[in-house]
Amino acid sequence: MQTIRSTTYPGGTDTTDQTDPADPTDGTDGAERARSGPGRDLTALLAGAATAAGGLGALLAFTGQGSPLRGPFVLFFLLAAPAAAIAAALTGLDPLGRAVASLAGAVAVDMLVAQVLLATHQWSVRGGLVAVSAFSALVLLLVAVRRWHGRTPGRRGW
């Protein structure tokens, strides 16, 4: 299916793009064309904001500050850190399946950490944060090592 895009620039010039985004013969891929425009950096901005919110939650919990934002930010950290690590490991799924699987995995990791800490009578907020942070860092480290050694499907052309 062919996509026809028409754009009028300031000054009156009209351009029409009749290339197919899925056509590999036109020299560009559809992802590159879809990322152009004013909203192209929105993903990086949202990732940075999520990292800042999660980091602030962990910092508030580790320092013992009594801020009213401590609870929501810590909860966000407890969901976002393992979800991001699991999503980085699941490169073969489509984006919606990846998001659902990583959020479900994050909830499972949080419940497993809580169950282990309660069963060993070592429960504390800081201990839970350390365990979740360690799990997330370990998974991200393993993903980075796997990519560095070239064992991802994308680098072999699969």
Side-chain angles (χ1 to χ4, degrees), residues 76-155:
F76 180 76
F77 176 79
L78 287 173
L79 285 176
I86 293 170
L90 297 176
T91 56
L93 294 176
D94 63 331
L96 181 61
R98 194 177 189 183
V100 170
S102 63
L103 283 174
V107 170
V109 165
D110 290 339
M111 288 193 303
L112 182 65
V113 165
Q115 185 175 1
V116 167
L117 289 176
L118 286 171
T120 59
H121 301 288
Q122 299 296 320
W123 173 251
S124 71
V125 174
R126 290 183 182 139
L129 282 172
V130 167
V132 169
S133 300
F135 170 81
S136 301
L138 180 65
V139 171
L140 285 173
L141 179 66
L142 291 175
V143 168
V145 166
R146 188 180 78 183
R147 286 185 183 163
W148 186 65
H149 285 298
R151 293 185 182 156
T152 58
R155 295 187 90 189

Side-chain angles (χ1 to χ4, degrees), residues 40-51:
R40 67 182 176 268
D41 293 331
L42 186 61
T43 304
L45 179 68
L46 290 176
T51 303

